[in-house]
Amino acid sequence: MNLKLFFTGIFFWLGQLYFAQPVTINLSEDNIINRTEYNQILQSGVLYKGNGNWRSAGGEWYVMLKANQSTYSNGNFTLPTEIVNFRLNNINGVTPGTGQLKGIWPGYKNITTTFQSFFQPEKANSNAPKGAIMMNYQILSSSFPNYIFQSGSYIVSIDNNQAPNGTWWSSTNRYIDPSGWQMNISVPEFAKWFVTQNAFTYNYNSLSNFSSPQDLVFDLSNFQISHTTDAYLDAKAQGNISFTPHGGGVATDIPISNVEVFGTGLTTKTLSTSYQNINSSAYSVITGNRNTIPIKIRINANAVKQQLYRAGTYTFTVDFKIRNNGGTVSDTQSVPFTITTQPLSTIAIQGTPDVNFTFATAADYQTGKSQNMANH
């Protein structure tokens, strides 16, 4: 047996195995969180038989591909094939339209279930280099707000129209190997905070806040998460409330149990220094991959009156963790809270406020006068 032919066949067979690998679009967290465009060049088969003819399609030598289904699927969710745009970048490093690869070079097209051309040779035997076919793939930024990207691999099968006219060893025409392959869109699993404000303050500047106290509520309901997996919310405090007296002095602690976390659809919990789950039902992945979390922090009216009346600064920090069911992916947002009570004082006169003295005789002036005013 001719060893040269044997090893050539082995290498060709290995090449067949290698190039039959899926074409995978690996989306990043940034693509989904910030809705940035995906744009990558990926190998999409190999062109063989540099001296053969192109296969015709309706009398024209269009080089085309199509999807065999109208959607990518990950088993639970689907994405339309049209979400991906493609354009030939080069063949074996040669850009279309040059002397070695003459013909028409179409712009970006959507992948659909009908054949779309990515190169149109001038004629059947137009020059073309043998080698890797490199394709430019895009998912536009405008697509990310309009679809659900759940973590996993979305799959569709792709065919091209340049299969060999016979077996690969007997084919006389140019052909692309493989004639069909699997295309994947790989979506990473993550749950991330998407927050525009991450610190909260409140100022007490009237004694009426303590004579007729109300609940102190911090509204964090503009907090959002971006996620590709069902998400759960946990919360804990980093420590107790720290109080620093006005004008300085030794800081003291107030129990963090005076603080609650609550919100629409959330379970009300008294804060502690250990994580507690706040949502009994997971936040599902939705269109656009963003969910608004209606978190609120509360110190009730009685605690305001009993704990926050001294002039000074009260500070505490809450950690909000968003995670998947197993906790293998998570993201923590630390939120500091500052409450300031100003130095306040007042004199309240009860009963009749006026004090009236009547000096009617000389003795009144000699001995003076006094009055008892009850509850003054």
Side-chain angles (χ1 to χ4, degrees):
M1 181 178 181
N2 188 313
L3 289 178
K4 181 177 180 181
L5 290 175
F6 172 76
F7 284 115
T8 299
I10 290 294
F11 289 138
F12 192 92
W13 177 71
L14 290 173
Q16 292 264 345
L17 289 179
Y18 175 77
F19 294 120
Q21 296 300 310
V23 175
T24 300
I25 292 173
N26 288 303
L27 295 181
S28 68
E29 291 182 6
D30 182 60
N31 293 138
I32 298 169
I33 295 172
N34 297 312
R35 298 167 176 172
T36 59
E37 179 180 295
Y38 173 90
N39 194 325
Q40 293 292 327
I41 299 171
L42 302 173
Q43 183 171 343
S44 304
V46 178
L47 180 65
Y48 286 97
K49 290 281 185 179
N51 58 351
N53 288 344
W54 297 99
R55 296 194 72 174
S56 66
E60 300 289 345
W61 293 276
Y62 293 161
V63 186
M64 302 186 290
L65 62 77
K66 72 177 182 70
N68 287 320
Q69 299 87 30
S70 60
T71 59
Y72 298 83
S73 174
N74 74 349
N76 296 312
F77 290 88
T78 60
L79 292 168
T81 55
E82 291 90 345
I83 202 173
V84 177
N85 301 331
F86 71 101
R87 188 188 191 193
L88 178 64
N89 186 275
N90 69 79
I91 299 178
N92 198 30
V94 178
T95 303
T98 61
Q100 293 179 302
L101 193 57
K102 290 184 178 180
I104 297 173
W105 185 22
Y108 280 99
K109 295 185 177 182
N110 302 110
I111 295 177
T112 69
T113 53
T114 57
F115 275 115
Q116 303 287 327
S117 66
F118 59 86
F119 183 60
Q120 300 170 21
E122 281 188 341
K123 51 188 177 180
N125 62 351
S126 291
N127 286 340
K130 294 183 293 183
I133 298 172
M134 305 303 293
M135 202 76 72
N136 219 132
Y137 293 101
Q138 285 183 340
I139 297 179
L140 300 178
S141 58
S142 57
S143 296
F144 292 103
N146 297 317
Y147 297 97
I148 295 173
F149 291 84
Q150 187 196 49
S151 60
S153 185
Y154 292 76
I155 300 170
V156 76
S157 59
I158 301 291
D159 282 342
N160 69 70
N161 71 328
Q162 296 295 319
N165 58 350
T167 57
W168 59 267
W169 59 84
S170 65
S171 178
T172 58
N173 66 290
R174 289 191 180 93
Y175 65 93
I176 295 174
D177 175 59
S179 58
W181 63 81
Q182 178 178 297
M183 177 174 279
N184 301 334
I185 298 177
S186 180
V187 179
E189 183 179 14
F190 68 85
K192 299 283 187 180
W193 284 105
F194 191 79
V195 175
T196 55
Q197 179 186 358
N198 60 359
F200 293 82
T201 61
Y202 191 82
N203 184 38
Y204 282 118
N205 55 16
S206 172
L207 282 172
S208 63
N209 297 137
F210 304 103
S211 59
S212 301
Q214 296 181 343
D215 291 352
L216 173 58
V217 176
F218 294 97
D219 191 347
L220 288 62
S221 59
N222 63 338
F223 275 30
Q224 286 187 323
I225 57 170
S226 180
H227 57 121
T228 59
T229 182
D230 287 352
Y232 294 85
L233 173 66
D234 299 338
K236 75 174 182 68
Q238 291 187 5
N240 285 321
I241 302 171
S242 178
F243 170 67
T244 302
H246 176 72
V250 177
T252 57
D253 280 353
I254 297 170
I256 196 63
S257 57
N258 287 285
V259 183
E260 293 178 329
V261 57
F262 72 108
T264 303
L266 301 177
T267 303
T268 300
K269 293 290 181 74
T270 298
L271 279 177
S272 73
T273 54
S274 298
Y275 273 119
Q276 301 176 82
N277 178 242
I278 308 301
N279 62 326
S280 55
S281 297
Y283 291 105
S284 300
V285 184
I286 62 173
T287 301
N289 290 84
R290 290 183 187 174
N291 252 312
T292 299
I293 311 298
I295 314 169
K296 295 182 180 181
I297 290 290
R298 175 171 59 206
I299 301 176
N300 67 42
N302 187 60
V304 169
K305 182 176 183 178
Q306 299 296 327
Q307 302 290 355
L308 306 182
Y309 65 91
R310 292 173 292 172
T313 303
Y314 303 80
T315 60
F316 62 97
T317 299
V318 181
D319 290 340
F320 295 101
K321 181 167 69 175
I322 202 74
R323 58 172 174 81
N324 67 353
N325 187 36
T328 54
V329 297
S330 64
D331 187 40
T332 301
Q333 180 70 42
S334 296
V335 182
F337 296 85
T338 301
I339 304 164
T340 303
T341 299
Q342 299 295 337
L344 303 168
S345 62
T346 186
I347 296 175
I349 299 176
Q350 305 297 321
T352 303
D354 296 338
V355 181
N356 298 312
F357 289 97
T358 301
F359 290 83
T361 66
D364 292 339
Y365 291 96
Q366 291 172 342
T367 60
K369 303 195 75 171
S370 64
Q371 291 188 56
N372 287 324
M373 302 292 291
N375 296 322
H376 251 222

